[in-house]
Amino acid sequence: MEAYSMDLRERVVAAYDRGDGSSRQLAEVFRVSSAWIRKLLRLRRERGSIAAIEYRRGRKPQLTDRHIDRICELLAEEPDLTLEEVRRRLRLPVSVPVLCTTLRRIGFTRKKSCSCRPSSSEATCAANGPASPAG
């Protein structure tokens, strides 16, 4: 559910401050609940602001920006490390799947460099170019 706009919040508070009616009467005029108006006034009183509170959805990330920077540095030096090797070398407090999800989120892929010789019938990776026709 989306938070009410700042414009609506300001109009409701201004109407209340002018004395245009009680929270119940203003709720009917602005087509909101009277409980929401009371909550809005409480927020203004307690926080000094009527802006919507930002809530973070989902779990808190287990790896900080500092962790991610260290991972990027290590992978820049040695791009063919496995996830387990990265985790062990940096002593990261997470599982391999969490590390995999984090790397995918920041744009790293699991594709390793082509270290095998090219196939005679079919390309094994983009670096080898298109496959030659069989014949």
Side-chain angles (χ1 to χ4, degrees), residues 3-90:
Y4 286 122
S5 71
M6 194 63 180
D7 176 58
L8 176 63
R9 292 167 179 268
E10 290 168 349
R11 287 186 291 133
V12 168
V13 169
Y16 183 84
D17 289 344
R18 282 192 310 267
D20 290 351
S22 67
S23 60
R24 180 171 291 167
Q25 293 166 334
L26 293 175
E28 289 178 22
V29 170
F30 289 101
R31 295 185 176 189
V32 295
S33 72
S34 59
W36 178 77
I37 294 177
R38 288 190 304 271
K39 179 181 173 185
L40 187 63
L41 296 171
R42 182 174 42 91
L43 280 175
R44 181 178 67 166
R45 189 173 52 249
E46 292 174 357
R47 294 186 321 152
S49 170
I50 58 171
I53 298 173
E54 292 274 335
Y55 289 104
R56 180 178 174 89
R57 290 172 173 80
R59 294 182 63 171
K60 180 181 175 189
Q62 295 180 350
L63 293 174
T64 64
D65 289 340
R66 194 173 131 253
H67 286 126
I68 293 172
D69 291 342
R70 289 175 48 215
I71 292 168
C72 291
E73 289 170 8
L74 182 62
L75 289 175
E77 293 169 10
E78 299 180 60
D80 285 339
L81 289 175
T82 65
L83 295 175
E84 181 60 35
E85 289 170 334
V86 170
R87 191 177 72 81
R88 257 190 278 119
R89 285 197 188 176
L90 297 178

